[in-house]
Amino acid sequence: MADRYNPQEIEKKWQQKWAGDKLYEVNDNDPRPKYYALTMFPYTSGDLHIGHWYNNVPIDAYARYMRMRGYNVLHPMGFDAFGLPAENAAIRRGIHPFTWTMQNIENMRRQLKSIGAVYDWSREVITCLPDYYLWTQWFFLKLYEAGLAYRAKAPVNWCPNCQTVLANEQVVGEDVCERCGTAVVRRDLEQWFFRITKYADELMEFEGVDWPERIKIMQRNWIGRSQGTEISFGLDHPGVDEKEIRVFTTRPDTTYGVTFMVLAPEHPLVMKLTTHDKKAEVENYITSSRRQSEIERLSTEKEKDGVFTGAYCINRLNGKKVPIWIADYVLLSYGTGAVMAVPAHDERDFAFANKYNLPVPVVIAPLDWDGGEIEAAYTGPGTMVNSGQFSGNQDGINAVSEYLEEKGWGRRTVSYKIRDWLISRQRYWGAPIPMVFCDKCGIVPIPEKDLPVLLPEDAEFKPTGESPLKYNEKFVNTTCPKCGSPAKRETDTMDTFACSSWYYLRYCSPRNDAAAFDDKEVKMWCPVDFYTGGAEHAVMHLLYVRFFTKAIHDMGLVDFSEPFKKLFNQGTIIFGKHKMSKSRGNVVNPDYYVAELGADTVRTYLMFIGPWDQGGEWDDSGISGMSRWMNRIWKLALDGYRSAGAQGDDELARMTHQTIKKVTEDIERVHFNTMVAALMEFTNYLHKVKEARTVDKEAWESAIKTLLLLLAPTVPHLAEELWKQKGYEYSVHNQAWPEWDKALVAHDEFTLVIQVNGKLRDKVTVPVSIAEDEAKKIAAEQEKVKPYLEGRGVVKVIYVPGKLVNIVVK
Ligand SMILES: [Zn+2]
Ligand SMILES: [Zn+2]
């Protein structure tokens, strides 16, 4: 009898041995084909919970599988360490964000090591350390040189609680701060932006990458590209310089139906145009709309209201005067901040016109239109009517656009919803933006050789609404790199998403202190072959990192323009019917289960809990069952086997090869739950064989050896221990993945259909290898078939291999 399975002992032992032997150290000069498997690095918020394990474990098993398949696999790990959550947590605890973050990293690193993953820790990256953020600053300078980083005054999302600006992507739900849930307000501030809009079209395309359709759709919707026409409406207002209002529309064919114009309340023309008698009403309306969030303003439930400014513009197509209104459902930040209203052909305009008794002329004929008034807006296509020279036209969008272009009254264009990426943060815990302000030279970038601009340790980091670095004299006061005069440093720090937009490159040459990345290494490893992480990053991290990659591709720094060839989003582990959250107190701490049952059990349970892209419900009895299976494997492999014959050898070989095939195909499709099920089925079968003793010793040992190889990616410690105890050469993780014998996995039986004169008379199960003569003989001998053959002459017998025998009789 072998020793009992003791995961605590063997896991620690093998983790130390692997580390000591540098078993998982990745060599850049390896002749094997490369494979780069990456999982989103964790944010340094404290403990890893079981959700992190669910992110990390299956992809580790996949990376291990690829190693055994003969690939040189890079599967690195690091920490996303700057940003608001760490800073807020540190402030709450009254400790320095650096101290707090590094403590967390130490703890999380210990936890990550307990997973028993193939991480090569010599490649670890930590984004808040100067040897990393030096290069984040370098990327900023590159973007600046390329005209992709710029400073501008803009209305920004401001979180009054976090006391900082948020990117549009960080404003969620009912217009609240993604971090703390506080309602976001607007402010005008000088900010740094990355010009992601320059790549709007390219970001719509996903050529050559295998990404989930829903993530592509989310990104495309976020970019919000629409093709249309910009139309100029004439303006002739005493004392106003502007001579036009431009609007964007996807339906220029409805222009004859415009009966009013709507401006966003904050549109700069509003106060200039508003007539004296309307001033009070307009001002009141503007004040009340300022109090509402964008989400409230755009809500479909909210009744659309507005006020007339007293002013008019001119519809150049028909020369008509169009009253100018303001309404809060038009946003200054989208399009031109002005909308031409066509109530007959737009639902929102229709409701608005009804409310204020504005005319609703039909200019596109609905199919069954009787020429009268319509009950609801008709938004479909159709023939233009009441449209002057265009009446009768069925291709109105093109015809009107062409005419407007000819006249110089408009142009076909494309509009996008996406805005430039606002990256300034008025907070301490981030990479300083490497810029100075000089009275003589203006904005001057820090020369590359002077990087990093170090984040001073002694700054007062509590949020005040202004950057804490502003009050750090030593930091602020500097000299202009251009003219040498006294100058002031930029005191905003960068959005932490800038740090994570290039980390996948850093892993290729993490200790390079002469460059952000080494060309040769990046050429070898990138792009990432397989990237996994949460779908919640769809329009932030996953969009930003694509933008960075496209930008540096255009700078000639890398030769690929998509960072991740294949993307996979794991599902969620729930507990007690709820998504785990610290505030709900239903967080599963993996440390406890690792200490009780071992990491291999936790790994297997997570892989078995449900399809990886869906997740599942954590259940203590489920994980206990998994622990019992580990013990069964242990005994199966180590308890002595006594053979009593070899009649079962062929069947054992077939079962083994069918399992290899199933496990391999399931891993390839990242169906880990069915892979574990197949391994369980196989061990159940082996138990029966062991009791029946129907295979010879050699066949038995060969099956166990295969089982251990198949288990290695899932339970790396247990497989290694059993491999050693069986006397095989260290390490199981350096072995080749087993291959299956095609002949052995073919379905060995099939159903033979027996017909007489084309009519079904019977079905029998026969071996795949059956010969034609044999099949015909069996068919004729069946009891159900015989009566139809008696006394009749057989004309011929048709045989379709693998399917049927048809006996034709007179
Ligand atoms: Zn907040
Ligand atoms: Zn200067």
Side-chain angles (χ1 to χ4, degrees):
M1 188 71 178
D3 290 339
R4 281 175 52 81
Y5 170 50
N6 184 340
Q8 291 77 9
E9 196 184 295
I10 65 169
E11 288 177 2
K12 205 156 288 157
K13 178 181 85 180
W14 286 115
Q15 283 167 18
Q16 277 165 9
K17 168 110 175 112
W18 295 333
D21 295 345
K22 300 187 176 7
L23 187 69
Y24 303 127
E25 198 170 270
V26 182
N27 186 347
D28 297 321
N29 302 312
D30 192 304
R32 293 175 297 173
K34 73 95 181 179
Y35 193 84
Y36 189 173
L38 183 63
T39 191
M40 291 178 188
F41 60 172
Y43 189 75
T44 51
S45 50
D47 277 335
L48 291 184
H49 57 75
I50 210 72
H52 290 105
W53 275 60
Y54 198 51
N55 185 17
N56 293 14
V57 164
I59 179 71
D60 173 62
Y62 191 88
R64 289 176 169 282
Y65 161 77
M66 291 305 282
R67 285 180 91 240
M68 293 176 80
R69 284 289 306 274
Y71 288 87
N72 183 25
V73 175
L74 175 61
H75 182 47
M77 187 43 65
F79 298 95
D80 186 13
F82 266 143
L84 275 183
E87 186 177 333
N88 286 345
I91 290 165
R92 272 200 305 278
R93 287 167 178 79
I95 54 177
H96 195 281
F98 180 82
T99 314
W100 165 248
T101 301
M102 294 314 278
Q103 275 172 10
N104 286 342
I105 287 175
E106 205 171 313
N107 181 49
M108 291 168 81
R109 195 190 286 124
R110 172 193 63 75
Q111 290 185 297
L112 284 163
K113 285 184 174 173
S114 78
I115 290 178
V118 291
Y119 309 138
D120 173 355
W121 286 100
S122 71
R123 287 178 184 255
E124 180 191 69
V125 302
I126 298 174
T127 60
C128 69
L129 296 182
D131 69 351
Y132 185 91
Y133 71 71
L134 183 170
W135 302 112
T136 306
Q137 293 173 339
W138 178 83
F139 274 102
F140 182 98
L141 294 178
K142 287 284 145 194
L143 292 171
Y144 182 76
E145 277 168 33
L148 294 170
Y150 67 94
R151 193 170 152 86
K153 192 162 197 156
V156 297
N157 306 301
W158 176 264
C159 173
N161 180 44
C162 296
Q163 301 251 326
T164 190
V165 162
L166 304 171
N168 283 342
E169 291 82 349
Q170 289 167 326
V171 180
V172 296
E174 302 278 297
D175 231 20
V176 298
C177 168
E178 181 211 33
R179 303 290 185 206
C180 71
T182 305
V184 168
V185 297
R186 317 282 142 209
R187 272 195 182 181
D188 281 336
L189 283 176
E190 285 272 341
Q191 303 285 314
W192 285 98
F193 292 87
F194 286 159
R195 207 181 295 280
I196 193 170
T197 52
K198 190 187 166 199
Y199 288 89
D201 280 326
E202 276 188 55
L203 290 166
M204 297 283 289
E205 305 298 325
F206 292 84
E207 215 173 286
V209 300
D210 175 11
W211 278 37
E213 209 47 45
R214 66 180 176 135
I215 300 289
K216 292 197 237 172
I217 291 168
M218 282 166 84
Q219 292 204 350
R220 289 199 185 110
N221 287 346
W222 185 260
I223 295 163
R225 181 184 202 276
S226 54
Q227 202 121 26
T229 305
E230 204 174 84
I231 304 179
S232 162
F233 282 71
L235 202 60
D236 184 16
H237 203 82
V240 176
D241 295 340
E242 289 87 345
K243 292 298 167 213
E244 61 170 1
I245 296 176
R246 298 186 83 87
V247 300
F248 174 83
T249 178
T250 57
R251 292 297 301 272
D253 56 334
T254 65
T255 309
Y256 282 84
V258 173
T259 54
F260 55 102
M261 169 74 60
V262 187
L263 300 183
E266 36 306 66
H267 196 292
L269 273 175
V270 172
M271 288 324 288
K272 294 185 197 170
L273 294 177
T274 301
T275 54
H276 196 71
D277 56 322
K278 299 286 180 188
K279 213 151 205 137
E281 204 186 341
V282 165
E283 275 171 3
N284 279 341
Y285 187 83
I286 292 172
T287 312
S288 83
S289 76
R290 277 227 171 101
R291 285 196 209 104
Q292 296 180 43
S293 69
E294 274 185 18
I295 299 284
E296 280 167 344
R297 287 172 58 170
L298 295 174
S299 161
T300 47
E301 266 103 79
K302 181 180 177 283
E303 201 189 19
K304 308 297 177 233
D305 59 9
V307 291
F308 178 41
T309 61
Y312 294 84
C313 60
I314 302 294
N315 184 344
R316 299 186 201 266
L317 282 183
N318 57 12
K320 282 191 178 160
K321 276 173 79 181
V322 178
I324 301 171
W325 287 62
I326 60 170
D328 58 13
Y329 65 82
V330 177
L331 300 176
L332 190 58
S333 54
Y334 286 165
T336 59
V339 167
M340 67 180 214
V342 188
H345 305 293
D346 179 278
E347 282 155 16
R348 199 177 52 187
D349 298 344
F350 186 85
F352 196 89
N354 272 350
K355 185 176 164 87
Y356 295 106
N357 284 321
L358 296 158
V360 187
V362 174
V363 294
I364 301 290
L367 267 185
D368 49 356
W369 186 48
D370 62 3
E373 280 185 20
I374 51 175
E375 298 294 317
Y378 172 71
T379 58
T383 307
M384 290 175 72
V385 292
N386 301 324
S387 297
Q389 66 188 92
F390 293 98
S391 294
N393 200 310
Q394 299 192 352
D395 182 26
I397 292 180
N398 282 318
V400 173
S401 299
E402 252 164 52
Y403 183 73
L404 289 169
E405 281 176 347
E406 258 173 50
K407 288 280 188 185
W409 294 342
R411 60 184 182 105
R412 271 173 277 213
T413 180
V414 173
S415 151
Y416 301 90
K417 269 201 272 186
I418 192 172
R419 302 290 117 192
D420 278 336
W421 173 14
L422 196 163
I423 59 113
S424 293
R425 295 291 178 274
Q426 291 70 47
R427 294 292 294 247
Y428 168 71
W429 194 232
I433 293 172
M435 290 286 174
V436 301
F437 303 103
C438 168
D439 283 343
K440 288 184 199 149
C441 314
I443 297 175
V444 182
I446 302 278
E448 228 176 281
K449 64 172 175 49
D450 294 338
L451 296 182
V453 176
L454 284 172
L455 184 65
E457 266 177 57
D458 59 354
E460 174 56 66
F461 50 83
K462 287 193 183 65
T464 58
E466 289 181 299
S467 177
L469 295 177
K470 250 188 188 162
Y471 301 97
N472 192 293
E473 302 270 314
K474 269 192 296 186
F475 178 83
V476 175
N477 296 316
T478 183
T479 50
C480 171
K482 222 176 190 173
C483 71
S485 328
K488 295 214 182 293
R489 282 189 198 278
E490 170 60 78
T491 54
D492 286 353
T493 56
M494 268 186 261
D495 181 1
T496 181
F497 279 108
C499 312
S500 55
S501 289
W502 69 278
Y503 80 115
Y504 74 98
L505 296 164
R506 188 65 181 167
Y507 283 133
C508 300
S509 48
R511 303 283 91 86
N512 189 334
D513 55 14
F517 56 85
D518 186 297
D519 283 340
K520 204 174 98 249
E521 314 298 355
V522 162
K523 254 202 186 86
M524 179 201 158
W525 289 111
C526 290
V528 172
D529 295 282
F530 192 13
Y531 193 43
T532 65
E536 68 273 17
H537 294 288
V539 295
M540 291 197 276
H541 169 60
L542 288 170
L543 193 60
Y544 297 149
V545 74
R546 291 182 67 219
F547 157 64
F548 254 66
T549 306
K550 289 177 188 305
I552 62 174
H553 173 253
D554 284 356
M555 295 170 200
L557 296 172
V558 296
D559 59 5
F560 52 90
S561 59
E562 286 285 350
F564 313 127
K565 276 198 224 166
K566 182 184 167 79
L567 174 72
F568 185 91
N569 306 113
Q570 80 274 8
T572 311
I573 300 294
I574 56 172
F575 185 47
K577 306 269 175 254
H578 290 287
K579 199 178 160 172
M580 283 179 221
S581 79
K582 272 187 183 164
S583 55
R584 200 179 272 116
N586 66 336
V587 174
V588 172
N589 180 354
D591 288 4
Y592 168 78
Y593 292 93
V594 171
E596 287 290 308
L597 303 171
D600 283 340
T601 296
V602 181
R603 290 174 63 104
T604 318
Y605 181 54
L606 285 173
M607 288 166 73
F608 185 64
I609 203 165
W612 194 26
D613 58 351
Q614 285 165 42
E617 166 124 36
W618 182 272
D619 170 21
D620 279 357
S621 70
I623 194 167
S624 301
M626 207 51 71
S627 171
R628 283 195 298 278
W629 183 47
M630 298 293 121
N631 278 286
R632 273 162 72 87
I633 294 168
W634 179 268
K635 284 192 187 150
L636 191 66
L638 296 183
D639 286 1
Y641 175 79
R642 284 187 305 131
S643 170
Q647 70 273 27
D649 284 11
D650 288 350
E651 197 197 46
L652 176 62
R654 210 166 51 238
M655 287 297 286
T656 308
H657 284 262
Q658 278 171 359
T659 305
I660 298 173
K661 179 172 187 277
K662 173 90 172 109
V663 167
T664 308
E665 288 174 352
D666 281 348
I667 295 185
E668 292 280 346
R669 294 180 302 157
V670 293
H671 288 189
F672 297 109
N673 56 329
T674 54
M675 175 206 73
V676 173
L679 286 167
M680 286 173 160
E681 217 174 282
F682 187 49
T683 50
N684 287 343
Y685 171 77
L686 288 173
H687 263 281
K688 282 185 201 138
V689 169
K690 191 173 187 180
E691 273 164 30
R693 297 156 58 197
T694 46
V695 303
D696 75 11
K697 176 83 176 159
E698 207 180 310
W700 172 258
E701 291 301 341
S702 158
I704 293 293
K705 186 175 183 184
T706 303
L707 173 68
L708 297 182
L709 292 169
L710 296 178
L711 282 166
T714 308
V715 287
H717 314 88
L718 176 61
E720 187 77 292
E721 177 67 22
L722 293 176
W723 188 257
K724 178 180 179 243
Q725 297 222 17
K726 283 286 175 185
Y728 299 120
E729 192 191 336
Y730 174 78
S731 151
V732 70
H733 303 298
N734 285 344
Q735 305 304 311
W737 186 251
E739 309 224 2
W740 70 86
D741 181 334
K742 278 208 182 90
L744 284 173
V745 301
H747 283 292
D748 45 337
E749 287 178 332
F750 74 99
T751 304
L752 179 71
V753 169
I754 304 165
Q755 298 173 330
V756 178
N757 287 350
K759 285 209 170 92
L760 175 69
R761 296 304 176 195
D762 204 358
K763 285 178 184 174
V764 290
T765 302
V766 296
V768 169
S769 55
I770 194 165
E772 181 168 348
D773 287 351
E774 179 76 1
K776 287 176 175 173
K777 192 164 155 257
I778 287 173
E781 280 170 2
Q782 297 306 307
E783 289 305 320
K784 285 185 186 164
V785 176
K786 274 183 193 165
Y788 298 99
L789 303 178
E790 265 166 18
R792 299 185 179 196
V794 173
V795 180
K796 60 177 174 179
V797 181
I798 300 159
Y799 176 62
V800 183
K803 279 211 173 106
L804 65 81
V805 173
N806 182 15
I807 304 167
V808 182
V809 296
K810 270 191 244 176

